[in-house]
Amino acid sequence: MIGMRHFLTGWSDHGVVEPPNERYYYQCAVIYQCTWALVLTDKNCERNHFHDPPELRTDHCVFTAIIMPKRGPWKPPVYVGPPLDSTPEAVPASRGHRPKANCATCFDLDLRYIPQPHKDEDSCSMGQIARHWITYADLAKDPSCASCRFLKSAFDTLVNSGEVMDIPPGREIRYSIAILDRDDGDAEDAVARKKRREAAGNSEASKSLKVEMRCSAEKRGSNDSGFQEEFELEIYTPPGAAPAPWKAIGAAGEVPTKPSGEECAAIIKPWLQDCDKNHALCRSADHQGELLPRRVLDLSGGQIRLIETTQGQRGHYVALSHCWGTEQLLTTTRLTIAEHMHRGIPIERMPKTFQDAVAITRGLGLRYIWIDSLCIIQKVSPSEPDVIAAADWEQQSAVMADIYAHCYLNIATTRAAGGHAGCLGPRWTTRDSLRWAEEFSRAVDDGEGKRERVSRTRKCEVKSFKVPGMQQDIRIRLTMKSSHEALQTPRWIRMHMDTAPLLPRAWVYQERSLAARSVHLHANEMVWACNVTQRCECKELDGSPPDGDGWSATKDRIAKLGVLNDKKALHGLWRTIVEDVSLLDLTYESDRLPALSGLAYRFAEYLPKNERYLAGLWEGDLARDLLWESGGSKQTAGPTRGRKPFNLKEGPLTAPSWSWASLVWGGDDASGIDWEYETKPKLAEWAGTTSYKQDPRTRIISTSVDIKGQNKYGTVHGGRIVIEGAMCAVVVGRSPQSPPSWLANVTTVKESIFNSLHLNYDTPTAEASAGGTVYCLFIGSFSEVFDHDKHPHVKHQGLILKPTAGGARFERIGRWTQHIEDWVHNKDVWTRKSGAMRVEII
């Protein structure tokens, strides 16, 4: 079934298999997306056809019917395209099919005729969609077809350049291509496609023709297809060129291979001017500029000098987002601050990344730039205490939100893994496709261990090739796929570690979220992201809103905190932000809360004034906030999911156990925190809507956190919660230890009596540390409702606790979930009967 291309949908009253007294909706589609899947094999040519029931009664075909009944509203039959290996003439005209194309191979490069995969918007399945593949030999079959000749010329030019694949001696490149339809995205639902089309219609977005290519280097004369590599390419006309003879080939932006800082600035200037003119959500309220940070680098007069600003001093300044890397950077310390202020900093002493940022800033005609390592006093020696540096860091980190929120432009050195790597240089494109394909294959595993063959993509220079033999200037190149995907959501950032090593850094998440507008110097191209829109040099993103994948917290949602006017929405957005940041990395895990302190400060402006921030949770929704899950019991690689250190003299060195900040996050195989359900948008018809209800016996009695330093949104040294709620002891071991005397009256049950209770521990070692018995505290219930099934699906959730060794207190070690469905036996076995108990959690 993997090769199915074209499908029909409709109703069957007298189909091949008809259940009694029912009228069922059928659909010919990929099996995991369909309600009926009908496979017919032609006895003569051994090819698959897909037809409606009346045509099943033939003497030439045998069929197999796979039936999955689905009641629903009637939909008229939808024609998607002719079978792959049939000509348009073979399509019966009586069905009202579209007019035929002249060429059955390339379909005249007319997207009206080119077969495209059917998308079932009601399906929640994810799979690799089938394509209409055209081989290099097919393109040479009909010399009279101008479209086939053009395609062959374009792809021969690309392949023979040696930029995509090396051609070893004695081998030749064989390839197949599939023309893609921009309105048939692999993973978009109807709403997402509509938004993208509307955005593209209101801008000069790319209108290039997208093509997928598979190719392999094979021995001459061999029929072995070998190991195929897969690439996405685009064919386009550059800006200002004459239109192509084919409507499917439109204009796109040209991406220079190695631009200078001045050339980058020339590209950024129109983006800035348009944003200043048209985006009230982005521009400064004061035409004189923004309030300058305490210290900035002054680039005027051909010098670079650190200056202390005066109170109320305004001006446009750039704030730099960069990765420090492993090599020592040039910094300002208590020993060098006077020299940096009076004698200045020679540009040749600056690391390459800083030099490039200065070149772009000067090219934009801006006078000031803020770089943390030079504008905040750093330690003279990282291993020795430094009172002056510590005090300056605490003061400046407390206003970090304002520094990035008020900058005229944030320059993100996205392609640079360190300060010495530089953010200008030859552009290149690649995809970490080995990792991507592994994840993709895991998602579509058929249950029998069969996975799609993994393709390899190597590093290629960003370069376009003019198609020979054409009067018009038409070009072909690899798409800038990484630059378009990497900025949309932290959930996919790890796939772009080579081209965007800055983005997995947790500090950078806050910086680019707070800045009204950022320009990312990605390895492929520059990408613009402001509070209103996105842009890029190739124009693929032009006009698209900064709404990411819909599940992550995005710039536009954070920029509009003031218009939410809903505590539930604010708390839900905060939990989504933490989900995002838990996927990201820090050099020092103790910075996890400080790396979010700027965003926490911004949220506090829109929450009630007396609502306290408690180690990454908010007091106004604290019981609900306690229900985070780490995935620690299921994941041992990557993030350690270990508790942060505990010092016998000082207590916890960071957050209390009930805070998500008590764990170690990030890592190469990060799964991230699972926390928010209620406020996330419904992105597909199959998705459910979730609501939360707190158990009436659950009450927060008191809370406290021990803050380290002056920043109340920064590092903490522990804390406590006193809470009341229904609780029972669950025996999980064969030889449980006797409970402490103060827990002797708690209801006790065995885990084995449940068939719907899931104990999700925070760390892989948490269960073993519990001594054979854990204590489950009931917090509240989630109810999920689907459009096709109005019966609510309920699950109870609460905390998994264990007694501490030092007295009548508990430590959190996980979250439990119990699904309450009709098939569940012994449901509510203890949540109804247990009385409320008051406990202290540290």
Side-chain angles (χ1 to χ4, degrees):
M1 295 298 290
I2 195 67
M4 294 175 65
R5 268 85 166 174
H6 317 292
F7 315 95
L8 295 170
T9 62
W11 279 89
S12 173
D13 288 312
H14 306 289
V16 179
V17 179
E18 183 70 32
N21 303 320
E22 292 286 359
R23 200 163 173 249
Y24 282 83
Y25 176 74
Y26 74 86
Q27 181 177 45
C28 298
V30 178
I31 288 178
Y32 54 73
Q33 291 185 348
C34 70
T35 45
W36 284 59
L38 306 176
V39 184
L40 290 86
T41 303
D42 190 308
K43 292 179 179 178
N44 297 322
C45 16
E46 295 185 349
R47 67 188 183 190
N48 291 334
H49 295 283
F50 310 95
H51 297 288
D52 56 0
E55 292 185 299
L56 297 179
R57 308 183 187 97
T58 71
D59 295 327
H60 305 289
C61 296
V62 294
F63 72 91
T64 301
I66 300 172
I67 305 162
M68 287 169 278
K70 170 185 173 182
R71 297 178 179 84
W74 179 84
K75 297 180 182 178
V78 177
Y79 173 71
V80 181
L84 172 63
D85 48 357
S86 70
T87 62
E89 289 85 354
V91 179
S94 61
R95 294 196 198 172
H97 293 157
R98 292 188 289 263
K100 65 182 180 180
N102 293 320
C103 178
T105 299
C106 67
F107 294 89
D108 306 337
L109 273 183
D110 192 325
L111 292 177
R112 294 176 300 171
Y113 310 135
I114 297 171
Q116 293 295 335
H118 174 72
K119 297 294 291 184
D120 180 4
E121 295 166 6
D122 294 335
S123 171
C124 60
S125 301
M126 174 184 175
Q128 189 164 11
I129 49 184
R131 303 290 190 195
H132 170 66
W133 290 99
I134 309 170
T135 69
Y136 71 103
D138 292 336
L139 293 174
K141 284 180 180 178
D142 186 0
S144 66
C145 178
S147 301
C148 285
R149 291 200 313 271
F150 166 76
L151 287 172
K152 191 168 189 310
S153 176
F155 284 91
D156 284 353
T157 299
L158 181 73
V159 168
N160 293 332
S161 71
E163 294 289 336
V164 176
M165 288 189 71
D166 297 328
I167 308 178
R171 290 181 176 265
E172 61 182 354
I173 299 294
R174 298 177 186 174
Y175 61 83
S176 300
I177 64 171
I179 298 169
L180 310 181
D181 187 342
R182 286 177 170 271
D183 289 336
D184 193 26
D186 287 359
E188 291 183 331
D189 67 330
V191 175
R193 285 199 300 274
K194 181 180 178 182
K195 287 174 64 177
R196 180 167 51 81
R197 285 197 299 268
E198 290 175 349
N202 296 328
S203 69
E204 297 179 359
S206 172
K207 304 297 191 299
S208 65
L209 178 69
K210 293 288 187 72
V211 185
E212 197 168 314
M213 180 177 73
R214 291 176 179 170
C215 56
S216 58
E218 302 166 18
K219 291 182 180 180
R220 289 191 176 93
S222 171
N223 292 323
D224 182 12
S225 62
F227 192 92
Q228 290 188 321
E229 301 195 26
E230 196 166 295
F231 306 90
E232 187 175 281
L233 305 105
E234 58 183 340
I235 303 173
Y236 66 99
T237 58
W246 299 274
K247 188 178 179 180
I249 300 175
E254 192 66 13
V255 181
T257 300
K258 189 180 178 181
S260 65
E262 292 74 17
E263 290 172 321
C264 287
I267 296 170
I268 297 169
K269 276 183 179 179
W271 297 347
L272 266 173
Q273 291 166 357
D274 178 70
C275 190
D276 275 338
K277 181 180 178 181
N278 298 311
H279 299 167
L281 197 60
C282 303
R283 61 174 174 256
S284 171
D286 194 317
H287 69 279
Q288 295 182 346
E290 301 75 27
L291 284 172
L292 293 175
R294 179 180 176 182
R295 301 183 194 94
V296 291
L297 295 172
D298 188 344
L299 308 182
S300 63
Q303 293 183 318
I304 303 173
R305 193 164 57 89
L306 182 67
I307 64 168
E308 291 260 7
T309 60
T310 59
Q311 186 175 6
Q313 184 176 346
R314 292 182 174 272
H316 291 320
Y317 69 94
V318 165
L320 189 68
S321 291
H322 68 102
C323 182
W324 284 44
T326 56
E327 296 183 56
Q328 178 62 43
L329 287 181
L330 177 68
T331 62
T332 294
T333 69
R334 56 185 170 81
L335 302 181
T336 61
I337 186 170
E339 180 183 3
H340 290 175
M341 294 183 68
H342 299 296
R343 299 179 61 180
I345 305 171
I347 193 165
E348 58 271 14
R349 285 189 57 205
M350 284 187 156
K352 183 66 168 60
T353 302
F354 293 2
Q355 293 180 28
D356 292 344
V358 167
I360 295 172
T361 303
R362 283 175 165 163
L364 292 171
L366 299 176
R367 179 175 177 177
Y368 304 111
I369 184 170
W370 184 89
I371 302 175
D372 56 358
S373 63
L374 293 173
C375 297
I376 300 176
I377 298 175
Q378 309 293 324
K379 289 182 178 181
V380 176
S381 172
S383 59
E384 296 179 6
D386 191 321
V387 176
I388 294 177
D392 197 59
W393 162 251
E394 183 165 339
Q395 183 187 58
Q396 294 301 299
S397 63
V399 297
M400 195 78 73
D402 290 334
I403 291 174
Y404 282 95
H406 296 160
C407 70
Y408 185 61
L409 177 67
N410 167 228
I411 293 179
T413 61
T414 307
R415 65 177 290 172
H420 297 277
C423 53
L424 298 175
R427 264 81 175 272
W428 52 275
T429 182
T430 187
R431 183 168 189 158
D432 189 358
S433 61
L434 289 173
R435 180 182 179 86
W436 178 86
E438 180 187 357
E439 294 295 324
F440 183 86
S441 298
R442 185 180 300 121
V444 300
D445 195 311
D446 63 1
E448 298 179 2
K450 296 178 181 178
R451 295 180 178 177
E452 199 64 24
R453 187 166 48 183
V454 178
S455 63
R456 298 173 299 170
T457 325
R458 57 174 59 88
K459 188 173 177 179
C460 302
E461 190 174 48
V462 170
K463 184 187 294 186
S464 63
F465 300 89
K466 187 173 180 179
V467 181
M470 298 297 300
Q471 293 181 352
Q472 299 85 0
D473 185 359
I474 305 178
R475 304 185 184 186
I476 184 171
R477 69 184 174 201
L478 292 170
T479 59
M480 316 297 149
K481 202 154 188 176
S482 175
S483 61
H484 304 153
E485 292 179 350
L487 295 168
Q488 305 311 312
T489 170
R491 299 170 200 283
W492 303 104
I493 281 177
R494 302 270 169 196
M495 299 178 189
H496 307 278
M497 289 288 288
D498 291 339
T499 52
L502 177 70
L503 295 182
R505 308 303 301 172
W507 281 105
V508 174
Y509 180 94
Q510 175 174 259
E511 294 164 9
R512 66 190 186 98
S513 296
L514 292 172
R517 45 199 176 192
S518 301
V519 62
H520 291 265
L521 299 169
H522 190 279
N524 296 175
E525 59 178 342
M526 288 190 297
V527 177
W528 170 277
C530 69
N531 289 336
V532 176
T533 191
Q534 298 182 92
R535 296 178 182 271
C536 62
E537 292 179 73
C538 78
K539 295 187 176 294
E540 180 68 25
L541 293 176
D542 282 23
S544 59
D547 55 2
D549 64 348
W551 291 86
S552 299
T554 51
K555 286 179 68 69
D556 59 337
R557 295 178 68 190
I558 294 172
K560 297 173 183 176
L561 289 179
V563 302
L564 289 179
N565 294 322
D566 181 359
K567 281 183 59 178
K568 177 183 175 181
L570 284 169
H571 289 138
L573 181 57
W574 176 259
R575 290 190 286 265
T576 303
I577 286 173
V578 174
E579 286 182 336
D580 292 344
V581 174
S582 70
L583 294 164
L584 307 178
D585 299 333
L586 287 163
T587 303
Y588 304 103
E589 187 60 33
S590 58
D591 284 345
R592 187 67 61 177
L593 287 173
L596 275 175
S597 61
L599 282 166
Y601 178 82
R602 187 67 70 240
F603 269 74
E605 293 179 342
Y606 301 104
L607 289 168
K609 291 185 178 180
N610 60 346
E611 183 165 341
R612 291 184 297 161
Y613 181 70
L614 302 166
L617 288 68
W618 290 97
E619 185 180 37
D621 204 16
L622 185 56
R624 166 65 184 88
D625 274 3
L626 291 172
L627 295 175
W628 52 268
E629 183 189 331
S630 74
S633 59
K634 297 172 285 187
Q635 180 173 320
T636 56
T640 65
R641 293 295 186 270
R643 293 284 178 196
K644 293 178 184 177
F646 187 94
N647 187 294
L648 293 177
K649 293 182 179 179
E650 301 179 22
L653 297 184
T654 53
S657 67
W658 44 264
S659 167
W660 57 267
S662 65
L663 299 186
V664 178
W665 298 96
D668 290 339
D669 297 308
S671 61
I673 191 173
D674 182 26
W675 203 7
E676 175 57 17
Y677 316 108
E678 306 96 293
T679 64
K680 288 188 176 177
K682 187 171 180 245
L683 297 181
E685 294 299 321
W686 51 263
T689 302
T690 302
S691 60
Y692 168 75
K693 183 179 180 180
Q694 185 170 309
D695 183 70
R697 292 165 293 182
T698 302
R699 290 195 309 131
I700 304 291
I701 306 302
S702 63
T703 61
S704 65
V705 292
D706 303 320
I707 299 170
K708 178 184 178 182
Q710 301 300 313
N711 183 4
K712 62 182 178 181
Y713 304 108
T715 305
V716 299
H717 267 318
R720 60 190 286 274
I721 287 179
V722 177
I723 184 173
E724 277 186 1
M727 190 170 74
C728 83
V730 178
V731 178
V732 296
R734 293 183 178 180
S735 302
Q737 299 175 2
S738 299
S741 57
W742 54 280
L743 292 173
N745 296 326
V746 176
T747 302
T748 301
V749 296
K750 291 184 178 181
E751 184 186 12
S752 57
I753 72 169
F754 297 102
N755 62 356
S756 63
L757 180 66
H758 302 275
L759 302 176
N760 300 302
Y761 296 99
D762 292 339
T763 67
T765 60
E767 181 178 4
S769 70
T773 302
V774 297
Y775 293 83
C776 292
L777 177 69
F778 184 28
I779 301 292
S781 302
F782 293 91
S783 178
E784 188 172 18
V785 177
F786 298 89
D787 289 346
H788 67 275
D789 178 12
K790 296 300 182 181
H791 177 73
H793 297 264
V794 179
K795 58 184 178 183
H796 294 340
Q797 283 190 354
L799 305 184
I800 308 174
L801 307 174
K802 74 170 185 179
T804 61
R809 298 187 297 181
F810 285 96
E811 176 187 347
R812 174 195 157 125
I813 59 172
R815 184 186 78 177
W816 62 267
T817 299
Q818 186 182 16
H819 296 274
I820 309 300
E821 301 283 359
D822 293 339
W823 49 266
V824 172
H825 301 298
N826 298 322
K827 59 185 178 183
D828 286 334
V829 70
W830 65 269
T831 51
R832 287 182 178 178
K833 299 176 181 178
S834 295
M837 180 175 181
R838 182 172 296 189
V839 298
E840 179 182 352
I841 311 172
I842 60 172

